[in-house]
């Protein structure tokens, strides 16, 4: 059982993740995790802060001599902005004028009511997307396991605001990876990239923000992850939960997704062929999942992200103390975080796949897992 | 903790559900469950079989003198087609020519590989959408609890194939319920309804099938279900999992969903007002969830369903024994099951909400739950 | 993931169990389950009722042509006493003078307060040990899996009231099984058996009841079930929970158990030898578990059961309506149920082991599981 | 849902715990946690190391201005012995002669086989009882919650080796706490204390080790924690798991425990009285739990701990490389850790109770929880 908990506030001392259930014997270094943290921090449209702070993981436990022990892995990401931490978020008894104006589109107001807070900072420090950095370190460990099983996960951005990528035809995942990593908006074609950057600049100039759509693809997937036998074992459900849980995501689709609702059955379902060695599909409209179970084709997931809710162009809100109308404050100047969310999406996909793989193949150490995995796939 | 397991094959003796964690003292009758089963079976585009078989629940345990006991509730739905059961699905040792041609779009092939089956009937009997009848009886119990808390869940169909409903403006949930229940395709406007029926008839005449999009809405939701504090506590994630797990669903969105990816922030986020008594929102683009937490506005979910994968117009497949190309067989003559899936969607939403409510409010009996619930909402 | 839910009241229509996560391809018949049900019903000291009612399982789903499908298995055990059912426990609205005198030693009073009941029958119908019959059918399925892996679980009674079995020296599990199955009190030596029967008769003649101690032993256990890496993964903890959950059990020990607290370390720990092929132990004071992990030696668990709380010799209680002191009623005439509890203990042990084995070895079907299991043990 | 994960090796950089599900608004300081850490480290019979190293918690997240936020709480306990850490347990690639002689009574051998290790240090660093320090910080948070609900948990030692405490008659929990805190072996009477110390000194002089028995008592428990309705909801099962999971514990009993197996029913079950205000019991042989549910009386748990497995008087083992017989090494010089285990037992009990309380009463913040709790208990 692969399971984890994360902790940490945006201006706290550090983010922490504890992961339990990682097989023993997995090579694990700071480097392979830091690469993922850096990928999350890149992307046109992020605020200045991002470029200053470069996240670095610190492995606290569970690894010895460069290999996992089978015991829980604790990972931390120190927050660099120490002074801010001392002012805003001290653990000890202290006082500070509370922030009392909840921002539309955030958990601020609902969080205060739920937890009985009168200072929205008690909510927003954890509700912040900063939290996803901890998911990314967990995702990096998951990806490290998947790498050993030759499973590849990539992502790219297909829409920012009104600009939609020219449809990628049948590109290999390696090619998608290469092109998206080279793009500041994780877009596969140069023309769309330039248009997306212009879209972001226009929004920025107006004090507005943008969302978009990203796509995650995973190849090397064994047949039979997830199950149709009970509703909560279906892999499409687990993936939907994992991706919908990314802050700002309001829609998730697999394969053709919403487009499948418009077409007749004869144009949707992927016929089954046999090439002399294994079953093949001439199309992958199902996005690699039929009946809640992987069918061996690449998994394709798309997610829609809403615009960042903190705008310079201020939205109307209410002072929680006086109940008077006031404009919401604008803490941070990100305009668009879709490329970053795509990287988090890879992490959540990796975590979901590793969970399913470890449930199916067991294996307390990497050798055992790999042996079972290879035997099954033959 | 509200939890349940379901069991049963399409041509087995019965479907069974066991629900644990229902508060004691809830009035529960066959009638209120049978109504939901009947709603699931209706809908233009279903096969003849549906009209013959009328599902009826049988309460096996957990209820005494018309009220729940707090102990697990076992519910069964007998399958009527007994002869078929004896032939196809006997428990005892027996033999029958195996079905060896997996159907595209189903779990047939992946299921055989995963579980080591050589007869796709060993897969399809459980992978069948018949399984959702058991979810609906669980959903009926969940709805019964929600009714006591004045929470209402409704659904309607907004697309079948190429036909899209005229956008419902700001209709009350009661009105949506009234109109959708009166429509054979759960559509709110008569013009669209006629066009949808024509669309289904056209597909049927060609031996083709159709999918569509349905919307679920829930009102009376307390602020603060779900949480931003850990990724797997976010209610949007849980809802996405619950709805994506419905057979055939390939996309889920909340509030504006994919449309939110196209608009600037200033047009997306719901401003916060105060009407002298409580906080209000002039819009509900968030679909009732901000930061993974309910904000008190109605929850709005939309799901895309692919066309039914079993077509009279046969798709290409492979004989698993000979590995020769053969057409997939066509067992059943449903053309479109979107209205039925919408009802299942209500059930999955009800189950998700009850789970979150019982976690938040505890309460081993209905009185206690209601007392905590009302106190919190004041 | 092996998981299950049970339902059903003592005088309800039936008991039900739904088991999810059983590998496909396991041969399963009514017979192998009914044998376990019969073993549970035997035992000197049970009431007349036991001998009349012979429990029989009915497989409702998850099995086809004599083999498991991988889909959830639903099992029922009809209650024979139909008239009683109609009178006492109807599902429909009805009325009956409530029972208002809670019995000491039962959940009656606490259950009424927790669930808001005013009739203790709403509690005792589910709190009854009748519930364990459903655990035994689940245990029978678990044992069926273990049989395929050459794991054997046996039990015997080592104390009833003041009578303690002569210490079994190093008897093989097969011998233990043979002797305990032949004894009406599951005792291994004839002298103790007769003394135990006399003890029961004496208690019966006084209207009193007895408890005792039973021991469960399991052999063929692979090294490495459970884990020291996180507290809730330790197999000793899981076994303690499983056995302590049996109605009436108030103590659980593994290996030397409480005796280990009295001896110095040099007399407790099992030294490690090597016999040319594998590691061996000259003793098994650890009861097969070191550091929360199985070490390959037989698992040895002992449980203490309190006397049955319903006595003819009535205990003092209080009328919940009038708050006046009254004697508790005496529904049933069992004097001692320790042999029966030992059989339930085997079931709970089997369930715990199967859960750990499926987590470690994965395997969606029996062939796969067996292959991984054998490879690991070589 | 109260849940947590811990991480950290004995000679690693630090121990870490992440706790999710703590209500917001709970006052939490380092001090109230450090007190529990200090209590764990005390006790006659511990090695020198204990007196040098004084554990101190560092709160990393989840607390602001002295109060919990509702977000996950991360806590660390740095290990002081830094040089040892650099030598023994570096995260980075490094090498060191492996330890290849597994110690009897530890997870060493089983752990190596399970996780594929060839160096027992890869096992023992996590299997070490050092891990329980992380449980104690979680337990301290749980106790802090219980304090707000006027629930008190205490412990004392009733046996060390051959020395058994004079039976405590009906002492108040406050008195038990006062006496046990004043004793270096957590024993309530001075005569037994001296005998226990002599017993430890005698064992120490021979290079031997000792176990013992400790008792945990908790008062202020509401009626109705746990449930008889499903086996895995019974609180006695949860408590047995929690306490059995403490390293070295081989037996757990509740109330009369194994003694209940010897007595007739008339001497075991606690009669029910009514004192004009509430139900009372003249005895508490059930240890506060009937039918798996708390009955309002104090919870009484006893646990048997085996002697520490690392002895100066060396036990026989095998070199895993050469397979030759060799004596096991002796790393640490603790002779007896029963008083320390008793403190860990308090923590595990507190954690189990808080879990049950939060499930029953919900409440996202302390005020809400306290309000529901008080209302229920009236």
């Amino acid at each position: 059982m692969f399971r984890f908990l994360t902790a940490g506030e945006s201006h706290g001392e550090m983010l922490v993740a504890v992961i339990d259930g990682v097989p023993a014997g997995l090579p694990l270094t700071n480097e392979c995790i830091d690469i993922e943290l850096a990928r999350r921090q890149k992307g046109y449209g992020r605020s200045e802060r991002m470029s200053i702070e470069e996240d670095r993981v610190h492995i606290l436990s569970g690894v010895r001599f460069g290999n996992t022990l089978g015991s829980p892995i604790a990972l931390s990401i120190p927050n660099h902005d120490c002074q801010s931490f001392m002012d805003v978020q001290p653990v000890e008894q202290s006082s500070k004028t509370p922030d009392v104006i909840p921002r539309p589109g955030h958990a601020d107001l609902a969080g205060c009511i739920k937890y009985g807070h009168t200072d929205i900072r008690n909510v927003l420090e954890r509700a912040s997307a900063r939290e996803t950095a901890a998911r990314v370190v967990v995702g990096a460990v998951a990806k490290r396991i998947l790498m050993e099983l030759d499973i590849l996960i990539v992502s790219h951005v297909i829409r920012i605001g009104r600009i939609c990528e020219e449809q990628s035809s049948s590109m290999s995942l390696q090619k998608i990876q290469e092109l998206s990593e080279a793009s500041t908006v994780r877009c596969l074609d140069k023309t769309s990239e330039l248009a997306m950057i212009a879209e972001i600049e226009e929004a920025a100039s107006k004090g507005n923000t943008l969302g978009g759509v990203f796509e995650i693809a995973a190849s090397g997937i064994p047949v039979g992850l997830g199950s149709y036998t009970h509703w909560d074992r279906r892999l499409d459900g687990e993936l939907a939960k994992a991706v919908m849980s990314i802050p700002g995501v309001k829609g998730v689709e697999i394969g053709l997704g919403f487009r499948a609702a418009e077409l007749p059955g004869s144009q949707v379902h992927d016929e089954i062929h046999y090439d002399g060695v294994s079953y093949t599909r001439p199309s992958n409209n199902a996005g690699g999942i039929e009946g809640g179970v992987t069918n061996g084709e690449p998994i394709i997931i798309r997610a829609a992200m809403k615009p960042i809710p903190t705008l310079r162009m201020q939205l109307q809100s209410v002072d929680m103390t006086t109940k008077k109308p006031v404009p919401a404050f604008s803490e941070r100047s990100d305009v668009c975080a879709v490329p970053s969310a795509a990287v988090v999406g890879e992490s959540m996909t990796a975590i979901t796949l590793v969970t399913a793989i470890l449930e199916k193949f067991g294996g307390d150490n990497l050798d055992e897992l790999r042996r079972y995995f290879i035997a099954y796939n033959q």
Side-chain angles (χ1 to χ4, degrees), chain A:
Chain A
M1 183 177 40
F2 186 90
R3 56 180 176 171
F4 66 99
L5 289 174
T6 72
E9 283 80 35
S10 186
H11 293 88
E13 187 174 347
M14 62 179 70
L15 298 172
V16 177
V18 174
I19 318 174
D20 184 37
V22 177
L26 179 78
L28 193 69
T29 60
N30 287 357
E31 288 68 35
C32 76
I33 300 174
D34 285 343
I35 286 169
E36 296 294 329
L37 285 171
R39 293 178 69 232
R40 174 184 166 277
Q41 289 193 296
K42 282 193 305 195
Y44 199 90
R46 308 304 301 276
S47 70
E48 289 293 292
R49 188 178 163 200
M50 277 296 142
S51 49
I52 310 172
E53 291 190 21
E54 202 173 319
D55 282 334
R56 295 243 188 269
V57 78
H58 183 64
I59 300 177
L60 301 171
S61 79
V63 178
R64 185 179 180 230
F65 298 170
N67 286 288
T68 57
L69 291 169
S71 45
I73 298 173
L75 304 164
S76 73
I77 313 165
N79 283 325
H80 296 287
D81 194 353
C82 281
Q83 192 50 48
S84 168
F85 159 57
M86 301 303 276
D87 294 350
V88 165
Q89 186 69 5
V91 163
E92 294 78 22
Q93 203 71 42
S94 175
S95 74
K96 189 176 159 293
T97 315
D99 292 321
V100 295
I101 307 169
R103 297 162 303 164
H106 280 289
D108 296 359
L109 181 57
C112 280
I113 293 171
K114 178 184 178 76
Y115 290 108
H117 293 310
T118 50
D119 182 349
I120 64 164
R121 193 154 291 278
N122 288 344
V123 173
L124 68 85
E125 279 289 322
R126 178 66 187 167
S128 160
R130 175 88 189 125
E131 165 258 321
T132 60
R135 303 196 202 187
V136 165
V137 302
V138 178
V141 174
K143 277 189 157 186
R144 191 66 195 74
I145 299 172
L146 295 178
M147 200 188 92
E148 295 284 338
L149 306 176
D150 289 327
I151 293 173
L152 177 65
I153 301 182
V154 303
S155 69
H156 60 113
V157 169
I158 59 181
R159 172 187 288 279
I160 285 182
R162 292 162 303 182
I163 309 303
C164 201
E165 189 185 58
E166 296 301 307
Q167 203 55 271
S168 62
S169 54
S170 58
M171 207 180 268
S172 77
L173 266 71
Q174 284 74 12
K175 189 70 187 169
I176 292 173
Q177 185 174 42
E178 183 191 308
L179 293 176
S180 68
E181 295 302 314
S183 164
T184 185
V185 288
R186 304 194 68 77
C187 177
L188 303 186
D189 78 289
K190 276 292 163 194
T191 319
S192 304
E193 180 180 358
L194 292 175
M196 286 176 182
I197 291 173
E199 178 84 349
I200 292 171
E201 284 179 351
E202 188 191 324
S205 72
K206 293 180 181 160
N208 220 328
T209 57
L210 292 174
V213 176
F214 58 87
E215 182 172 283
I216 301 156
S219 65
I221 309 300
V223 176
L225 299 182
S227 179
Y228 56 86
T229 54
H230 208 265
W231 77 275
D232 56 358
R233 291 184 182 267
R234 295 176 76 101
L235 196 72
D236 42 10
E238 295 291 359
L239 288 166
K241 174 176 175 174
V243 173
M244 187 68 95
S245 77
I246 299 170
V249 170
K250 300 298 283 187
V252 178
E253 54 182 16
I254 293 175
L256 278 188
F258 277 83
R259 179 87 182 106
E262 302 174 23
L263 300 171
S266 56
Q267 291 175 41
V268 168
H269 302 295
D270 307 307
E271 295 192 319
I272 302 173
H273 294 178
Y274 188 78
D275 68 2
V277 177
S278 57
Y279 297 99
T280 62
R281 306 296 182 108
S283 55
N284 183 21
N285 292 332
I289 299 183
E290 284 171 303
V293 189
T294 55
N295 65 9
E297 298 298 306
I299 292 175
I300 309 290
I301 308 163
R302 267 180 311 281
M305 187 185 196
K306 69 180 183 182
I308 286 174
T310 313
L311 292 76
R312 275 194 296 115
M313 181 199 293
Q314 293 174 324
L315 299 169
Q316 184 69 44
S317 186
V318 171
D319 181 310
M320 295 193 303
T321 319
T322 64
K323 301 290 191 291
K324 293 270 159 56
V326 283
F329 77 99
S330 155
E331 168 154 281
R332 185 172 143 191
S333 52
D334 278 10
V335 173
C336 175
V338 181
S340 176
V343 174
V344 180
E346 290 179 31
S347 288
M348 296 311 294
T349 303
I351 289 165
T352 307
L353 289 175
V354 161
T355 304
I357 285 169
L358 291 177
E359 187 179 328
K360 180 163 178 49
F361 296 100
D364 290 312
N365 60 71
L366 185 61
D367 273 358
E368 220 181 335
L369 170 60
R370 207 159 32 192
R371 221 160 44 230
Y372 298 164
F373 188 84
I374 291 170
Y376 174 81
N377 284 304
Q378 272 163 357

